[in-house]
Amino acid sequence: MMLRPRTDRQAGPASSARADKGLPPAARALLVLALLAVFAGLVLAVLSLSEPAPGLAAAVDERIDESGVSHPVTAVLLNFRGYDTLLELVVLVLAVMGAWSVGRARGCAGNVPGPLLRQLPRLMAPLMVLVAGYLLWVGAHAPGGAFQAGSLLGGVGILLCLSGYPLPGWANGPALRVSAVLGVAVFAALGVVAALLPGGAPLDWPPAQAKTLILTIELAAMLSIGVVLAALFAGGRP
Amino acid sequence: MAGLSLLDWALDGVLALLLLWLAWRALSTPALFRAVVLFIAFGLVLALVWARLFAVDVALAEMAIGAGVTGALLLAALVRLAPPIGRGRAHGRNGERDGA
Amino acid sequence: MTQPVFWALVGMALVVLALYALIVHAHLLRKVLALNVMSSGVFLVFIGLARRTPGEDVPMAADPVPQAMVLTGIVVAVAATGLALALIVRLRVLTGRTTLGDDTGD
């Protein structure tokens, strides 16, 4: 599709006209008053927080050596609070299933790029994939990780779609579906394996193998996040 | 977290005002295309705020997702929502035919 | 006022602002925008207050747990946005409208 500002003129006036006549002035004034009261309550809540702030930073610091990575945020995401991340990947799969169930994507092959969009992906896409790999690797000891890397991969997919880059036929078939659920599948499978080890529990990585396990999961999660974001951009099932 | 200098406070204040102003404009400007572009700008300023708060992971994610992917999703939806018939020439391609 | 409290207040102002827009505007795309601004406000409260943590010895110390939760939240928010936009486009294809409700849109 071409992203041209003409949608501005077409969608704009109609929507503003409709939006502005929804509420009578009295109701609107009442709404503003109610929201100001809500805001005042929230401000009071923040100002009355206990002063020596409770927090989990010390607890994370204490156990970081067992997590397999040295960056605390990655340790929390993939080790200490692994359920959060696992369920988040489930949410991504559910979102793409929802989007696929409401309609068919038009496909990207019909997009006719301008001269800039024809050349830009050739330059940017390999670089973005490289940066995604770097972010994934560096996430073990510095800011970065599967989410940032995956969203960059999603950006690559969006760029390729906008430029009408011809994807091979298999890319829209089972390969797409498998890579969308790969993150959940790998994460859950390894979590179950960890539970079967002697003395293990679900999603409880043994410290010696933790780094390998975390990187494996992150690799799969990155691929899934990228594929899901690109599929959501396409807007329907292929 | 004591020891913020006046310069720190000035930077924080400017960023906060910019953030609130962009949010207000994105939510109140009549033209939807402009609202989406303002929202993308909002995401970029928010990434700066994350960096100010030493949440570098969040800043990276916001840069790629909040400003990048969400902006692309919104612009694509805007194009698909645009009336395909009426004013003009060969614009019908962008609209209705994406249904199954 | 400290820096964490300041940014938490800004986040709450964003939430209230977006809540107003969410109620007032009828166009669904604008409601999606409002929800996104609202989630950004919530994230700002989280990250702001994460720096209240007592790790005073290192100046950059911030609680990593809220940061991880916000990272998760950002990805969930974009997934929800994508699904919502797909539903809005479908609604537009089926009914020609971009608002909800019984009124015929006149």
Side-chain angles (χ1 to χ4, degrees):
Chain A
M1 69 222 58
M2 307 297 283
L3 301 177
R4 272 174 289 194
R6 85 190 146 70
T7 48
D8 187 337
R9 271 174 278 125
Q10 290 187 348
S15 66
S16 68
R18 184 170 298 179
D20 280 344
K21 65 164 205 42
L23 285 175
R28 192 171 287 223
L30 207 62
L31 175 66
V32 170
L33 280 180
L35 287 177
L36 282 179
V38 169
F39 183 59
L42 289 172
V43 169
L44 281 181
V46 163
L47 292 183
S48 64
L49 285 174
S50 64
E51 203 26 73
L56 291 167
V60 171
D61 254 4
E62 208 172 290
R63 308 286 298 270
I64 188 105
D65 293 335
E66 302 168 28
S67 70
V69 290
S70 57
H71 184 51
V73 176
T74 308
V76 170
L77 275 174
L78 284 141
N79 201 332
F80 300 148
R81 292 180 65 94
Y83 281 102
D84 276 10
T85 311
L86 176 61
L87 290 177
E88 180 222 336
L89 293 172
V90 173
V91 167
L92 282 177
V93 173
L94 288 180
V96 87
M97 279 167 69
W100 281 4
S101 63
V102 293
R104 214 165 242 295
R106 267 176 322 118
C108 302
N111 291 330
V112 184
L116 181 65
L117 210 48
R118 195 159 35 233
Q119 291 305 324
L120 192 68
R122 290 175 197 280
L123 204 65
M124 294 290 289
L127 198 63
M128 284 165 81
V129 172
L130 188 71
V131 173
Y134 169 75
L135 275 177
L136 183 74
W137 178 254
V138 86
H141 56 87
F147 294 163
Q148 294 88 342
S151 51
L152 262 182
L153 280 193
V156 174
I158 291 172
L159 207 56
L160 291 182
C161 179
L162 281 176
S163 65
Y165 189 84
L167 287 175
W170 53 262
N172 278 333
L176 184 69
R177 290 162 171 79
V178 168
S179 45
V181 296
L182 196 65
V184 181
V186 169
F187 205 149
L190 289 179
V192 170
V193 169
L196 296 179
L197 293 176
L203 303 186
D204 183 16
W205 315 131
Q209 287 85 37
K211 176 152 193 184
T212 318
L213 290 175
I214 286 178
L215 271 179
T216 311
I217 293 168
E218 281 200 298
L219 196 63
M222 170 183 79
L223 193 65
S224 287
I225 293 171
V227 165
V228 165
L229 290 180
L232 283 175
F233 178 79
R237 70 178 176 279
Chain B
M1 299 295 150
L4 278 188
S5 70
L6 197 62
L7 188 65
D8 281 328
W9 274 115
L11 199 52
D12 274 9
V14 168
L15 279 176
L17 283 180
L18 195 57
L19 201 63
L20 287 169
W21 183 76
L22 280 173
W24 173 245
R25 291 294 297 154
L27 295 177
S28 69
T29 191
L32 274 174
F33 176 76
R34 191 168 297 168
V36 170
V37 173
L38 282 165
F39 178 77
I40 295 173
F42 170 83
L44 291 172
V45 174
L46 193 58
L48 285 180
V49 174
W50 299 141
R52 286 279 302 151
L53 289 168
F54 295 106
V56 185
D57 293 88
V58 184
L60 282 172
E62 181 75 39
M63 203 67 106
I65 296 186
V69 177
T70 307
L73 284 174
L74 286 166
L75 286 175
L78 202 55
V79 170
R80 286 171 196 155
L81 288 176
I85 44 172
R87 325 199 169 164
R89 309 176 305 264
H91 287 154
R93 242 162 30 90
N94 284 333
E96 300 280 6
R97 230 169 296 164
D98 51 352
Chain C
M1 185 163 51
T2 57
Q3 197 194 18
V5 172
F6 171 74
W7 282 111
L9 293 184
V10 173
M12 285 168 175
L14 281 178
V15 169
V16 174
L17 196 72
L19 190 57
Y20 174 78
L22 183 69
I23 297 172
V24 165
H25 290 291
H27 197 287
L28 288 172
L29 195 85
R30 209 177 280 276
K31 282 187 192 287
V32 170
L33 277 181
L35 278 177
N36 270 294
V37 172
M38 216 164 156
S39 65
S40 298
V42 175
F43 298 155
L44 203 49
V45 176
F46 262 65
I47 297 289
L49 294 183
R51 300 206 64 219
R52 291 174 73 246
T53 196
E56 302 277 359
D57 42 345
V58 192
M60 295 178 42
D63 199 337
V65 176
Q67 292 194 28
M69 290 167 82
V70 167
L71 267 181
T72 311
I74 288 178
V75 179
V76 169
V78 74
T81 303
L83 178 57
L85 291 174
L87 288 173
I88 296 172
V89 169
R90 191 67 186 147
L91 182 77
R92 171 76 172 73
V93 169
L94 289 180
T95 68
R97 299 192 312 163
T98 52
T99 56
L100 292 176
D102 297 330
D103 61 322
T104 48
D106 53 355

